[in-house]
Amino acid sequence: MSRFDQQPTDKLFKALESASPQDELPSTATLLDAVRFNADGLLPAIAQQHDTQEVLMMAWMNREALEETLNTHRVCYYSRSRKKLWRKGESSGQQQHLKSAALDCDGDTLLLQVEQTGPACHTGRRSCFYLSLTHEHATINSEPLINPDELYGKQ
């Protein structure tokens, strides 16, 4: 049994601030009980290419999407517009395969290390972060790898 098992869920992440790699931690289910999902039951999830560290996208997960991702290693998000689970690549074929997942110190953001097949962005670009900003102007920093019409079929 972990010394953190007796912590109330609302205090668990604060208690984990003093944890070391040698500490035994509570089960994943216990940690998920303590995750700070927002009022809509969602958690921001940042997807990063595991080998290059390129930030690919940010999407939302509910607990069901997070549990499915951890169990299957195929990344699943929650689509706020469709109000349902969204398995990355289900319409485009451009899947994300989970390499590792980490919660931040507050338990309110998730970092996913993934193996991305093809573009991550619906625009056909590798990353959703293709619009660079300065205090004076904006620039596009990448071209689409695939035309979105080819990726999803004409909509």
Side-chain angles (χ1 to χ4, degrees):
M1 176 179 275
S2 161
R3 69 181 171 106
F4 301 103
D5 282 327
Q6 304 306 315
Q7 292 291 325
T9 56
D10 64 334
K11 304 224 184 307
L12 181 55
F13 283 97
K14 183 68 176 164
L16 288 172
E17 289 177 6
S18 65
S20 76
Q22 293 76 33
D23 281 318
E24 183 179 338
L25 299 182
S27 69
T28 298
T30 298
L31 287 167
L32 293 184
D33 288 342
V35 166
R36 294 180 175 142
F37 293 95
N38 70 14
D40 295 322
L42 302 175
L43 179 72
I46 300 164
Q48 184 177 38
Q49 177 65 30
H50 73 98
D51 51 357
T52 66
Q53 307 305 298
E54 177 184 20
V55 176
L56 301 171
M57 60 180 280
M58 180 275 185
W60 297 92
M61 288 184 157
N62 62 8
R63 184 167 178 157
E64 183 180 4
L66 178 52
E67 288 174 336
E68 180 176 316
T69 297
L70 294 173
N71 287 327
T72 67
H73 291 253
R74 179 165 174 211
V75 180
C76 177
Y77 296 106
Y78 182 82
S79 170
R80 295 179 301 163
S81 60
R82 292 178 269 178
K83 300 193 181 332
K84 67 176 196 166
L85 293 180
W86 157 45
R87 289 155 189 94
K88 182 70 174 154
E90 65 191 354
S91 57
S92 69
Q94 309 301 312
Q95 298 180 9
Q96 290 177 350
H97 298 278
L98 184 68
K99 296 294 188 175
S100 67
L103 288 163
D104 76 336
C105 57
D106 296 320
D108 62 6
T109 304
L110 186 67
L111 178 62
L112 304 171
Q113 296 285 320
V114 302
E115 177 67 40
Q116 173 69 46
T117 59
C121 185
H122 75 281
T123 65
R125 290 175 172 86
R126 176 75 176 156
S127 170
C128 292
F129 297 96
Y130 62 87
L131 185 60
S132 295
L133 304 173
T134 70
H135 72 283
E136 294 176 0
H137 65 280
T139 57
I140 300 296
N141 64 34
S142 67
E143 295 287 337
L145 301 174
I146 299 173
N147 182 313
D149 289 342
E150 294 173 31
L151 196 57
Y152 297 100
K154 293 202 184 245
Q155 310 250 339

